[in-house]
Amino acid sequence: MSKAPGHQKWPDHRVTEEPISQRIRVTVGETTLADSTSVIRVEEDGHPTRYYFPTADVRMDRLQPSETSTHCPFKGSARYFSVVDGGAALQNAAWSYEEPFDEHIGLKGHIAFYDDKIPAIKVRSADGA
């Protein structure tokens, strides 16, 4: 475990995590990739809202690890996945922080999806609407 150098260098940069109880679903075509009521909503300055799903609520059989990785000075090193649906693949459409910095340890064991690559990320109310 280690402290995020980004938070130390840029203390005014905001990255917040909030567990939400609303049902969030990610679909590609007719395939549901993720469906959960245990999602973490991440708000970060300069970035769109992202939803992180517990891996237990993600169809991992539809995700293929890619060779892509990036490093965020606030959250840590991200590992990427391509989404495979039938014969098509959406390259690097999902990612996870397997060893996040201390400040964002809650993201460990979660996967997020790019909504510009997978436009069907839906927030549903408790009644399913």
Side-chain angles (χ1 to χ4, degrees):
M1 302 282 178
S2 61
K3 295 285 185 187
H7 288 300
Q8 295 171 33
K9 189 171 183 178
W10 300 286
D12 293 334
H13 183 85
R14 184 182 61 91
V15 181
T16 61
E17 298 170 24
E18 178 186 7
I20 59 173
S21 59
Q22 292 166 301
R23 187 173 188 185
I24 310 286
R25 187 179 236 181
V26 177
T27 58
V28 172
E30 299 297 315
T31 303
T32 298
L33 296 176
D35 189 349
S36 184
T37 57
S38 299
V39 173
I40 298 171
R41 179 176 49 216
V42 174
E43 302 280 348
E44 180 174 0
D45 289 344
H47 296 278
T49 299
R50 299 294 188 197
Y51 298 97
Y52 285 75
F53 295 78
T55 55
D57 295 340
V58 176
R59 291 276 313 269
M60 296 303 292
D61 63 316
R62 297 292 185 161
L63 300 184
Q64 180 178 33
S66 79
E67 293 183 18
T68 302
S69 64
T70 59
H71 183 77
C72 171
F74 300 97
K75 296 182 290 292
S77 294
R79 174 183 181 201
Y80 285 76
F81 301 87
S82 295
V83 173
V84 179
D85 185 43
L90 299 169
Q91 299 298 316
N92 300 316
W95 71 95
S96 69
Y97 291 99
E98 295 178 3
E99 296 295 329
F101 290 123
D102 293 351
E103 295 89 340
H104 301 287
I105 197 68
L107 298 180
K108 185 173 184 160
H110 288 73
I111 293 186
F113 296 87
Y114 279 115
D115 54 355
D116 58 336
K117 293 185 180 190
I118 303 174
I121 297 178
K122 297 184 174 30
V123 178
R124 297 178 6 172
S125 64
D127 62 7

